[in-house]
Amino acid sequence: VEGAFHLSCDDPAVYHAITSSTKKIWEAKFAEAQQIVAEYEKESLCAALAKSESLLWIYSMEHTNTAFETAMSCYMKLEEITIDMNEACKPPSVLSSIGSFFGSTKKISAEEQASMTNNYIETLVALADISGGIAMLLLRSQQRMKAAYRLRKAWKFYQEAYELVMQHEEWNQVIPKDDVKAGEDSESINAVWDNLIKPSPTDESLSGKDLRIRNIVGRLIFGRGLFCYTISMLPKSLQWLVELIGFSSDRKQGLHDVLSATRINPSPRSDWARAALGTIRYFFFDETEQAMSLVEEMLKETENSPMLCMIIAGMYRVEGKIEESSAKYREAYEYAAQVPSYQLTAHYELGHNYFLVGEWEKAAPLIKEYLENSKSPNFKAFGGYKLGVCYWVLEGKDALEKIRPLFNKVINEWKRPRMSYDAYAARHCQKFLDNSAFSELHILFVEIGNFEDAKLFDRGEEKLKQVEHLLASKPHRANEKGLYLYWKGHLLQKTEEHVDALKTFNELVQLYDEIEEDKWIVAYAELESVEIFIKLENFEKAQMVLDQLKKRSGYDFEKHVSMRIKKLQSKISRHSKQ
């Protein structure tokens, strides 16, 4: 095929270059990542894909039109050539002969048949990766229908390639066959984490042929596994996507495939698989200590990765280790020197840490820096709302001239209709504009939520007492009483005072029909009640409350609640079986 790449590439230098390029992506050194594979990208399909992936990462961090067009153009050109190659190397259905109906017949030997099959698998995996990359670009630019079409194509390519590899006597041997399972009912948690925290050793004696097999099969197993698990976890609001793709998910198989991909080494996906499965087990299985050990180990293996610093900084924040979190965000800023857009994100996250602990004067300039300079739509609406809160706390009515245009931007420019936090921020910004002020209760509720998220429970309790005093001093709406009950119950749940937390949440649920604005607090109260019942091993009540929650709709953060419902349903099912 004219303009095609070499398939059957058995030059070890190509695959070593791809491995080195992948490490540079972890370090957010994208120019170096591209330079490493530049020597091979015009000849090797695998190397050209590695370049495309670096362009995808650039767009994900910069979010500029130029970066989008560059990455999309690269993928589209690559796809055009790969489709022709895929057709050219498609093997006959049986080992016989092929040829023109009118011309002479060309005999295909067993060796040629095997070569065609190998090349065909390589092009299938490449086409799947290309469609997956294009889907990610489209999703990030909010083109969801086009992205769904691309995901469907990616899945079909992965499936066809997987079926061929399963029948391939040689390539099938690369996939681990032992009994280590990564499913939700796994009893081999230690074995799973042993595989993740300590990477599989690399056999330095592998030939170019062996390296090629690991490159292709590793990408296939990771792509298929992550696809399976991600689709299985979609909330109800996105089930249309599953139906459009024509996909029946298998969560356990997805987890197992991602675990297998961690052990196909060297492969450009082995470290991504470790990070992906570690993240899944952190968020959905609550295996916090092991997940943090994994990220710390991966930080040792890479040179100053800002992405890994950002990941562990987020974990530290969730655990209430705000100082450690802030230190890692500062490191991420330092290490991302070649990607100013990522530095802005690191500073924004650092600003959020200051926001959580009430250091408004430190939070404000970092959030403002992000809002003024970042090209990404992420965090803009909620960040604008947070900056307005900072201004109000610091300056009061003197800040009105700064807050009004800022909040108008939140409502008219930055709010994305499908984003829960954006809608929540815009609602409160509009309320501020209507009243030219935040109420004393509103600021107290912001502080309480922040302190409880930062696990500064004593400070949160002090603010709750102030709210209690204000509510007792004069009549207030059910909405304000409901917010008080939620944050009180949330604090009791966090400090493991389970009985009192359940009583408080139940009192809140009784107010559901009277609450006008913040109905999300009832959904969150029920989520946390389910978590308590699971801890108390009362799975029948946990299921009853969860079933009640599933019937609710039309509140802020509904998509986030859907994900947590999935997680809790899995927990209940897992514990019930045990």
Side-chain angles (χ1 to χ4, degrees):
V1 178
E2 185 178 353
F5 303 95
H6 289 306
L7 299 174
S8 305
C9 177
D10 59 1
D11 182 359
V14 172
Y15 301 104
H16 293 315
I18 292 170
T19 299
S20 299
S21 176
T22 302
K23 287 190 178 297
K24 290 299 178 185
I25 289 176
W26 275 106
E27 296 164 17
K29 296 177 179 176
F30 302 116
E32 292 178 38
Q34 292 177 52
Q35 186 177 3
I36 289 170
V37 294
E39 182 180 349
Y40 310 104
E41 68 178 77
K42 292 184 179 179
E43 297 182 1
S44 165
L45 177 57
C46 293
L49 276 166
K51 176 187 176 179
S52 300
E53 287 164 15
S54 68
L55 295 174
L56 172 63
W57 275 101
I58 290 172
Y59 172 67
S60 71
M61 292 188 176
E62 292 185 357
H63 222 287
T64 62
N65 290 335
T66 300
F68 177 87
E69 290 165 5
T70 301
M72 184 63 79
S73 174
C74 186
Y75 271 126
M76 295 301 288
K77 289 177 182 177
L78 192 55
E79 182 180 52
E80 183 181 355
I81 296 172
T82 307
I83 287 172
D84 289 341
M85 294 169 66
N86 175 262
E87 288 296 323
C89 65
K90 185 179 292 186
S93 57
V94 293
L95 184 58
S96 57
S97 61
I98 59 173
S100 168
F101 179 79
F102 299 101
S104 60
T105 300
K106 179 182 177 182
K107 296 291 183 181
I108 301 294
S109 67
E111 184 178 348
E112 289 173 314
Q113 169 83 9
S115 178
M116 289 181 74
T117 299
N118 295 347
N119 292 343
Y120 185 62
I121 293 171
E122 179 172 353
T123 57
L124 285 173
V125 175
L127 288 169
D129 286 349
I130 290 166
S131 271
I134 292 173
M136 290 179 68
L137 288 169
L138 294 169
L139 282 171
R140 287 184 173 275
S141 59
Q142 301 297 305
Q143 300 180 60
R144 297 190 175 198
M145 290 299 293
K146 290 182 179 180
Y149 166 74
R150 279 294 178 173
L151 287 172
R152 183 176 184 274
K153 288 187 71 172
W155 173 247
K156 286 186 173 294
F157 287 131
Y158 280 134
Q159 273 298 85
E160 186 178 356
Y162 183 77
E163 289 167 7
L164 289 171
V165 168
M166 288 299 99
Q167 300 167 17
H168 198 299
E169 186 175 344
E170 183 181 14
W171 288 29
N172 189 19
Q173 297 304 311
V174 174
I175 303 172
K177 301 294 192 302
D178 58 32
D179 294 329
V180 177
K181 302 292 183 184
E184 295 171 7
D185 56 354
S186 172
E187 296 178 359
S188 307
I189 292 174
N190 291 335
V192 171
W193 282 106
D194 285 345
N195 277 275
L196 294 181
I197 294 173
K198 295 296 181 183
S200 301
T202 301
D203 185 351
E204 300 297 338
S205 66
L206 290 172
S207 66
K209 175 185 173 183
D210 293 328
L211 292 170
R212 179 200 182 201
I213 295 171
R214 280 161 175 74
N215 179 291
I216 297 167
V217 176
R219 285 162 39 217
L220 166 62
I221 299 302
F222 174 73
R224 180 178 180 273
L226 192 61
F227 201 108
C228 278
Y229 189 81
T230 303
I231 294 295
S232 75
M233 293 304 295
L234 282 175
K236 283 186 177 180
S237 60
L238 293 178
Q239 285 302 312
W240 63 271
L241 181 60
V242 178
E243 294 169 6
L244 184 63
I245 294 172
F247 176 78
S248 178
S249 64
D250 186 336
R251 191 178 305 171
K252 292 181 181 179
Q253 184 62 49
L255 286 169
H256 185 64
D257 282 351
V258 177
L259 177 60
S260 294
T262 69
R263 302 164 67 199
I264 300 174
N265 199 25
S267 157
R269 296 291 186 269
S270 57
D271 282 343
W272 294 115
R274 290 168 69 199
L277 188 52
T279 301
I280 289 168
R281 298 200 72 91
Y282 172 70
F283 283 109
F284 293 101
F285 295 81
D286 298 322
E287 293 165 2
T288 302
E289 184 178 340
Q290 299 97 319
M292 293 179 79
S293 296
L294 169 63
V295 181
E296 288 165 354
E297 176 62 30
M298 293 184 73
L299 269 169
K300 293 176 186 176
E301 296 167 17
T302 58
E303 292 183 13
N304 306 333
S305 168
M307 287 185 273
L308 288 170
C309 284
M310 292 282 274
I311 291 170
I312 200 164
M315 290 179 172
Y316 282 143
R317 177 194 285 162
V318 171
E319 296 306 305
K321 299 178 179 179
I322 301 299
E323 289 186 11
E324 292 92 332
S325 173
S326 295
K328 284 299 177 185
Y329 283 131
R330 292 187 191 98
E331 284 184 33
Y333 179 89
E334 178 186 346
Y335 298 152
Q338 296 184 20
V339 191
S341 57
Y342 206 53
Q343 287 186 309
L344 289 171
T345 303
H347 261 184
Y348 175 84
E349 295 290 1
L350 178 59
H352 184 65
N353 278 2
Y354 289 132
F355 186 78
L356 288 179
V357 299
E359 296 188 32
W360 316 102
E361 68 285 347
K362 291 183 179 179
L366 294 175
I367 297 171
K368 182 183 178 185
E369 175 191 35
Y370 179 87
L371 295 176
E372 291 180 347
N373 297 293
S374 176
K375 303 296 183 184
S376 171
N378 298 329
F379 311 129
K380 285 288 181 73
F382 198 66
Y385 161 69
K386 289 193 298 185
L387 182 57
V389 169
C390 291
Y391 286 156
W392 182 257
V393 174
L394 291 170
E395 303 174 36
K397 289 190 176 293
D398 291 341
L400 278 173
E401 296 308 309
K402 288 193 291 189
I403 297 175
R404 284 193 181 111
L406 176 64
F407 281 4
N408 277 315
K409 265 193 170 183
V410 170
I411 296 164
N412 300 316
E413 295 181 34
W414 293 337
K415 184 186 77 171
R416 296 164 294 176
R418 293 190 180 95
M419 298 297 173
S420 298
Y421 277 90
D422 290 16
Y424 176 85
R427 178 163 64 81
H428 282 292
C429 289
Q430 186 61 60
K431 190 173 180 180
F432 178 93
L433 293 174
D434 292 342
N435 299 308
S436 294
F438 281 125
S439 70
E440 184 178 0
L441 277 174
H442 182 82
I443 296 300
L444 282 169
F445 286 133
V446 169
E447 291 178 305
I448 291 165
N450 286 348
F451 290 150
E452 292 186 11
D453 281 351
K455 296 195 174 181
L456 300 172
F457 299 131
D458 290 343
R459 295 176 68 180
E461 191 170 9
E462 288 175 13
K463 296 294 180 180
L464 273 170
K465 289 177 181 176
Q466 293 181 42
V467 171
E468 192 172 348
H469 176 74
L470 286 172
L471 292 177
S473 64
K474 62 179 180 179
H476 284 81
R477 297 182 308 155
N479 201 78
E480 280 67 39
K481 184 179 179 182
L483 284 163
Y484 164 73
L485 289 171
Y486 171 69
W487 289 117
K488 179 182 177 182
H490 184 66
L491 177 62
L492 291 167
Q493 187 250 1
K494 288 286 187 181
T495 54
E496 299 192 349
E497 297 175 61
H498 295 146
V499 174
D500 289 339
L502 288 171
K503 287 180 181 177
T504 305
F505 286 146
N506 185 58
E507 187 179 350
L508 168 58
V509 172
Q510 303 310 311
L511 290 175
Y512 179 78
D513 292 333
E514 299 176 51
I515 295 171
E516 298 174 0
E517 298 172 7
D518 292 292
K519 286 186 178 290
W520 64 271
I521 57 179
V522 175
Y524 273 64
E526 289 175 329
L527 281 173
E528 292 173 39
S529 297
V530 173
E531 290 173 348
I532 292 171
F533 283 128
I534 290 173
K535 285 183 179 179
L536 298 176
E537 298 186 358
N538 191 336
F539 303 116
E540 185 177 347
K541 280 195 175 180
Q543 188 64 62
M544 182 182 69
V545 176
L546 197 62
D547 289 341
Q548 177 176 291
L549 173 56
K550 289 176 183 177
K551 297 174 185 176
R552 301 197 189 280
S553 62
Y555 51 84
D556 292 331
F557 313 118
E558 190 171 347
K559 291 179 183 177
H560 298 268
V561 171
S562 295
M563 292 298 291
R564 290 180 67 181
I565 287 173
K566 286 262 189 182
K567 173 182 175 179
L568 291 172
Q569 187 62 72
S570 295
K571 272 190 175 182
I572 293 170
S573 301
R574 194 161 66 245
H575 286 296
S576 296
K577 288 178 183 178
Q578 292 173 355

